[in-house]
């Protein structure tokens, strides 16, 4: 329930958009182990939405959600490894995460994984 209400505030669906309220609700759900809340909260920290931008915190949250099989978190963490945002740059780890997100049915993960498999050098992501 906290995640769903947080999503409503995040998107401004049925309530005025309020990143601060979304953050509060996502945080509660994330602390209870809700992967989607961890992933969305990670995005808020990565993008500085309602919180100061913090790539370390974002990577930590994406990692928790990714370890639970959240495809979007796997993809986002892969981008962070590719771009060296909050984690050391590691293209092999990024590629592994894109593959996992693809296997979890995220088309963007499949697309980036395919590009990385076609190119010996790593394109700008």
């Amino acid at each position: 329930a906290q995640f769903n209400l947080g999503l409503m505030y995040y998107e401004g669906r049925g309530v005025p958009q309020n990143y601060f309220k979304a953050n509060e609700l996502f945080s509660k759900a994330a602390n209870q182990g809700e992967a989607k809340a961890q992933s969305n909260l990670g995005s808020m920290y990565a993008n500085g939405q309602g919180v100061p931008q913090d790539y370390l915190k974002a990577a930590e949250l994406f990692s928790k959600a990714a370890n639970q099989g959240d495809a979007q978190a796997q993809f986002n963490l892969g981008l962070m490894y590719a771009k060296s945002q909050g984690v050391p740059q590691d293209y092999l780890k990024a590629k592994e995460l894109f593959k996992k997100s693809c296997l979890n049915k995220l088309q963007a993960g499949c697309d980036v994984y395919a590009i990385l498999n076609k190119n010996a050098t790593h394109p700008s992501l």
Side-chain angles (χ1 to χ4, degrees):
Q2 291 167 330
F3 169 74
N4 290 331
L5 187 56
L7 194 57
M8 290 173 70
Y9 278 105
Y10 182 79
E11 295 175 345
R13 200 169 13 107
V15 295
Q17 187 178 47
N18 185 330
Y19 288 143
F20 298 105
K21 188 71 175 165
N23 179 287
E24 175 187 324
L25 291 160
F26 286 155
S27 292
K28 288 179 181 179
N31 288 336
Q32 296 170 4
E34 170 63 47
K36 294 278 184 215
Q38 292 165 342
S39 183
N40 283 23
L41 194 55
S43 292
M44 293 183 79
Y45 277 101
N47 298 315
Q49 294 172 307
V51 294
Q53 189 174 50
D54 185 339
Y55 290 132
L56 288 172
K57 183 74 173 168
E60 175 189 321
L61 288 159
F62 286 146
S63 182
K64 287 179 181 181
N67 288 337
Q68 294 183 66
D70 184 276
Q72 188 64 56
Q74 291 164 339
F75 179 82
N76 290 341
L77 188 58
L79 287 177
M80 294 189 85
Y81 274 104
K83 296 179 178 183
S84 185
Q85 293 177 326
V87 292
Q89 191 168 52
D90 185 337
Y91 287 118
L92 291 177
K93 182 73 173 168
K95 186 175 174 181
E96 174 188 320
L97 287 159
F98 293 136
K99 180 180 180 181
K100 285 181 180 182
S101 70
C102 179
L103 293 173
N104 284 318
K105 313 279 190 256
L106 185 69
Q107 186 59 49
C110 297
D111 295 344
V112 174
Y113 185 69
I115 290 168
L116 293 177
N117 278 329
K118 287 180 185 173
N119 295 310
T121 59
H122 301 285
S124 178
L125 299 175

